[in-house]
């Protein structure tokens, strides 16, 4: 994690807690090269971080205030930033209603166990893996986090098929 080219982001975060999440963790655990697209969850307001990134000449491409997300580009590196949050859905397929929450709630809202892992950007903490995504990845299993996952966001079924093919994962019975 320390070897990733994230110094401008680390400086812009200041005292804000932040974690690498999602695909970058999956890639690191698989021993693969990390892609140029990195997801970061932060426990705090995005706007001050985005302002400090812009001051450091990191391009802020998109900001979605409603969802507390933004995308920044530092050379070839694309950083997707999202406030740690909880999501609720008014009905199947609806856009989520989001509210700030801690990293545990943020990981619980994700699609599959292999994407519900985090590593802190600062400090000495290690892998946060409350749903055993690392074990699922090692055993070749694709497991959805909860039974309403596909109703909440039907595109997760497509992502699941893509993950199964790309990483040679077999969906568990609950995911099927």
């Amino acid at each position: 994690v320390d070897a990733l080219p994230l110094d401008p982001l680390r400086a812009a975060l200041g005292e804000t807690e932040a974690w690498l999440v999602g695909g970058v963790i999956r890639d690191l655990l698989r021993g693969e090269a990390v892609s140029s697209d990195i997801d970061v969850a932060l426990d705090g307001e995005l706007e001050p971080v985005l302002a400090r990134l812009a001051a450091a000449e990191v391009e802020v491409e998109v900001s979605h205030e409603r969802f507390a997300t933004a995308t920044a580009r530092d050379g070839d590196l694309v950083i997707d930033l999202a406030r740690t949050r909880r999501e609720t859905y008014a009905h199947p397929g609806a856009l989520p209603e989001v509210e700030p929450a801690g990293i545990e709630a943020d990981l619980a809202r994700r699609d599959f166990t292999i994407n519900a892992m985090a590593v802190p950007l600062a400090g000495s903490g290690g892998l946060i893996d409350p749903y055993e995504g690392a074990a699922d990845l090692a055993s070749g299993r694709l497991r959805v986090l909860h039974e309403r996952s596909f109703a909440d966001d039907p595109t997760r079924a497509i992502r699941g098929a893509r993950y199964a093919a790309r990483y040679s994962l077999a969906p568990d019975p609950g995911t099927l």
Side-chain angles (χ1 to χ4, degrees):
V1 173
D2 291 333
L4 295 174
L6 297 172
D7 290 339
L9 174 61
R10 286 186 176 100
L13 288 167
E15 298 297 315
T16 303
E17 285 188 282
W19 298 264
L20 291 174
V21 293
V24 66
I25 304 302
R26 186 185 59 239
D27 293 347
L28 288 168
L29 288 173
R30 290 178 49 85
E32 295 179 356
V34 174
S35 76
S36 60
D37 187 0
I38 293 178
D39 295 326
V40 175
L42 56 105
D43 191 0
E45 297 297 326
L46 278 176
E47 276 52 14
V49 174
L50 297 176
R52 289 190 291 267
L53 281 171
E57 299 184 9
V58 173
E59 178 185 0
V60 177
E61 293 183 335
V62 180
S63 181
H64 300 284
E65 193 172 316
R66 175 179 179 200
F67 299 110
T69 63
T71 300
R73 181 180 296 278
D74 188 12
D76 292 335
L77 182 65
V78 176
I79 305 167
D80 290 317
L81 299 157
R83 169 125 195 208
T84 53
R85 63 192 190 263
R86 145 182 316 109
E87 294 178 349
T88 56
Y89 296 81
H91 54 82
L95 290 175
E97 296 295 323
V98 300
E99 64 180 88
I103 188 65
E104 295 80 14
D106 189 84
L107 294 175
R109 71 170 182 81
R110 295 180 180 272
D111 51 7
F112 299 95
T113 61
I114 62 169
N115 291 329
M117 299 179 279
V119 172
L121 271 173
S124 59
L127 179 67
I128 301 168
D129 185 11
Y131 301 100
E132 300 180 2
D136 284 348
L137 196 58
S139 67
R141 180 176 44 239
L142 182 67
R143 190 164 47 98
V144 73
L145 283 180
H146 57 86
E147 65 184 31
R148 292 205 31 87
S149 187
F150 297 128
D152 289 345
D153 182 354
T155 66
R156 289 175 173 166
I158 296 165
R159 284 196 307 272
R162 194 176 75 223
Y163 294 143
R166 182 185 301 162
Y167 303 116
S168 300
L169 302 173
D172 78 330
T175 301
L176 284 175

